[in-house]
Amino acid sequence: MPEIIQETDTDMVLSLVDLARYPIADLESAEGAAFLKACQDQMEEHGWCNLDGFIRPEALVALADESNALLPTADVLTIKRNIYQGAIDPSLPKDDPRRKEYTHVATQLADDQLPNETLIQQLYQSPRLTDFVRRVQKKEVLHRCADEFQALNVVALHPGSWHAWHYDTTECTVTLLLQAAETGGDFAFLPNSRTDETEDREAVDRLLAGDMSHAQKFDRGAGTFTLFRGGYSLHGVTEVEGSTRRVTAIMTYDEQEGRLISDDINIRIYGDRVKNILADRAAPSINA
């Protein structure tokens, strides 16, 4: 793994991000302010902001090597869920597409499996990065997700696999592509397909039926940093093809400080390992 020389300032952004192209460390300068506005405008117009080559080449090698070294310790998860990540709503008609559960297989490291000293964890913990995401999303406040499993994940999709359609459990999601697939593995989503009050059911039903005409889809090179409103935009990843797995870091943020995700959703996503952790934790209070 290439050695990353960390700046005297402990914020990992200074060591990993290509600040010449993306001046996120100085958003008050003329150059930084213009860059921020361009990101905000892209988010407003498209529902996403895509920053190709966000990570410096040597830093990207170190991040990819680190993740590939940790992935053999990860669980291979068969994830079955509806697009809302929760239980099926029994009030919906039986033929309603929102009752359907979708399945995909992924090798996945949850936040509690990513040590604090890893580069990817230090990048996620960066105050500068959090503030940049907050300002692009035009939020008054934004916090890193407090959930011990969902905050930061590293996900590998192997050839023949994909990521099923879903909404995220928090609004603001960032993905950093650490290793691209040979072909396929495109990020696809339906921008702003729901709000807190309503959902564009016609567009959602059309997408779930296989009509991609209103979805946005783009392939990305390794090192690309993508901001989008994952809690409000139905999204997934197309089938990975070729011989190289697709590896992504998923960083989540929340306006509400300290909010945790329900045990039910975490068990649905992470399976038996998390189910056993939560059961062991509950056992002393049950036996008391």
Side-chain angles (χ1 to χ4, degrees), residues 15-207:
S15 300
L16 300 181
V17 175
D18 186 344
L19 296 175
R21 292 182 64 187
Y22 303 116
I24 72 170
D26 188 12
L27 296 173
E28 305 306 323
S29 67
E31 181 184 11
F35 162 66
L36 176 61
K37 186 177 186 306
C39 292
Q40 291 171 334
D41 290 348
Q42 188 177 23
M43 181 69 74
E44 287 295 323
E45 181 178 357
H46 301 292
W48 51 266
C49 177
N50 215 33
L51 303 178
D52 179 59
F54 185 73
I55 301 296
R56 295 188 292 108
E58 67 275 20
L60 179 61
V61 172
L63 283 163
D65 286 352
E66 173 185 82
S67 293
N68 282 315
L70 287 170
L71 279 166
T73 69
D75 295 324
V76 179
L77 302 174
T78 299
I79 299 171
K80 184 178 182 181
R81 60 191 177 190
N82 68 4
I83 63 174
Y84 309 107
Q85 310 231 35
I88 299 297
D89 181 354
S91 68
L92 293 171
K94 289 188 176 180
D95 61 348
D96 192 297
R98 283 168 296 279
R99 288 190 65 135
K100 183 176 179 181
E101 290 186 304
Y102 297 84
T103 302
H104 70 264
V105 178
T107 303
Q108 190 155 333
L109 290 159
D111 187 88
D112 67 318
Q113 296 173 293
L114 295 165
N116 288 332
E117 63 270 17
T118 56
L119 296 175
I120 193 60
Q121 190 68 260
Q122 291 181 69
L123 180 63
Y124 176 58
Q125 296 294 330
S126 158
R128 283 188 174 94
L129 189 66
T130 302
D131 188 59
F132 171 61
V133 174
R134 177 189 68 81
R135 295 177 71 172
V136 171
Q137 300 270 24
K138 295 184 177 180
K139 300 293 185 184
E140 289 294 324
V141 295
L142 194 66
H143 306 278
R144 290 181 293 277
C145 178
D147 192 87
E148 64 182 305
F149 305 116
Q150 294 214 27
L152 170 67
N153 280 201
V154 171
V155 180
L157 294 177
H158 295 263
S161 189
W162 59 88
H163 206 137
W165 297 115
H166 67 286
Y167 290 106
D168 291 335
T169 50
T170 57
E171 177 190 351
C172 299
T173 306
V174 170
T175 66
L176 175 60
L177 187 61
L178 300 175
Q179 182 172 289
E182 262 180 57
T183 56
D186 297 334
F187 178 70
F189 74 118
L190 197 61
N192 303 318
S193 53
R194 71 171 180 175
T195 67
D196 288 331
E197 292 78 31
T198 188
E199 182 177 37
D200 185 347
R201 292 195 169 184
E202 181 180 345
V204 168
D205 290 350
R206 189 167 52 230
L207 182 62

Side-chain angles (χ1 to χ4, degrees), residues 227-288:
L227 301 93
F228 68 106
R229 297 187 176 104
Y232 294 138
S233 300
L234 190 64
H235 59 281
V237 176
T238 65
E239 184 175 347
V240 171
E241 302 172 16
S243 59
T244 304
R245 64 185 177 185
R246 178 188 188 272
V247 182
T248 309
I250 301 174
M251 307 174 183
T252 56
Y253 301 86
D254 202 319
E255 289 179 271
Q256 180 181 327
E257 186 175 13
R259 188 170 72 92
L260 303 178
I261 309 304
S262 73
D263 289 351
D264 175 67
I265 289 178
N266 277 334
I267 290 169
R268 284 176 181 273
I269 294 174
Y270 301 105
D272 287 344
R273 185 184 73 87
V274 166
K275 181 179 180 180
N276 292 336
I277 289 173
L278 297 174
D280 289 346
R281 205 173 278 169
S285 61
I286 292 173
N287 297 328

